[in-house]
Amino acid sequence: MAEPDSGGAEGHSHSVERVSEFDADDLGALCDATNAAIIDGGGFGWVHPQMRTSLESYFYGVLLVPERVLFIGRLDGIVVGSVQLVRPARNNEAQAFAARLEHSFIAPYARGHGLARTMTLRVEDAARGLGYHVLNLDVRETQEAAIALYESMGYIRWGVHPCYARAAGRTVSGIHYYKVLQAGGRI
Ligand SMILES: CC(C)(COP(=O)(O)OP(=O)(O)OC[C@H]1O[C@@H](n2cnc3c(N)ncnc32)[C@H](O)[C@@H]1OP(=O)(O)O)[C@@H](O)C(=O)NCCC(=O)NCCS
């Protein structure tokens, strides 16, 4: 496990870690945070809460995918969110310079403490370290906090997908962003 990035304000501490294996308590807290975010209506592709066993299988699966790097965020030591850095597939030479940030979420009970900003910075640092020039991401048009977060961090809105996601019987648009992380790069 890599060294955590730490920060915090208002008497709370927060940190972000890259995950290579799970401690049982951390995995349980991550599953609780995931379901809380799903119930709140934002984050991840899920629109319905999931069985604990399904979420555990999902997160163990993420660790097995070579292109995916999982980071967890802690507030006062408890896992309350996560984000994934996704590397391009090896056959995708034309886009080998660009990685994706996906599935960023913080449980509703842990929002507003700067943790998502710290997680995003951590993903950017990791992507830079791997030599990527560009980070791509997309969000539902309804995810106002995420839109404010990414636009405040310099992400450039380049397009809108009118049929991006469907939840609660409603189709919503998606907003696509990119950020140039560094000029040149080794990939
Ligand atoms: C978006 C999300 C990850 C933000 O998590 P967070 O830890 O509360 O965010 P932070 O405390 O780090 O806030 C960072 C910035 O985000 C923006 N932001 C956060 N919450 C906001 C809100 N409720 N309204 C407007 N802007 C908000 C602000 O720009 C904030 O900066 P500031 O505190 O200097 O004003 C969280 O609200 C969430 O999980 N939402 C549902 C899932 C989602 O939208 N994921 C993104 C898809 S990739």
Side-chain angles (χ1 to χ4, degrees), residues 42-43 104-106 111-117 139 143 145-146 148-150:
S104 179
F105 78 94
I106 299 294
R111 291 178 185 166
H113 296 290
L115 189 46
R117 190 183 293 280
V139 301
Q143 290 171 321
L149 166 67
Y150 297 125

Side-chain angles (χ1 to χ4, degrees), residues 14 37 40-44 80-83 101-108 110-120 137-140 142-153 164:
H14 69 239
D40 185 66
F44 267 83
V80 294
S82 71
V83 61
L101 182 154
E102 289 188 0
H103 301 321
S104 179
F105 78 94
I106 299 294
R111 291 178 185 166
H113 296 290
L115 189 46
R117 190 183 293 280
T118 303
M119 289 199 314
T120 307
L137 62 87
D138 42 73
V139 301
R140 296 182 209 164
T142 50
Q143 290 171 321
E144 293 173 6
I147 290 167
L149 166 67
Y150 297 125
E151 293 190 356
S152 78
M153 296 185 73
Y164 172 82

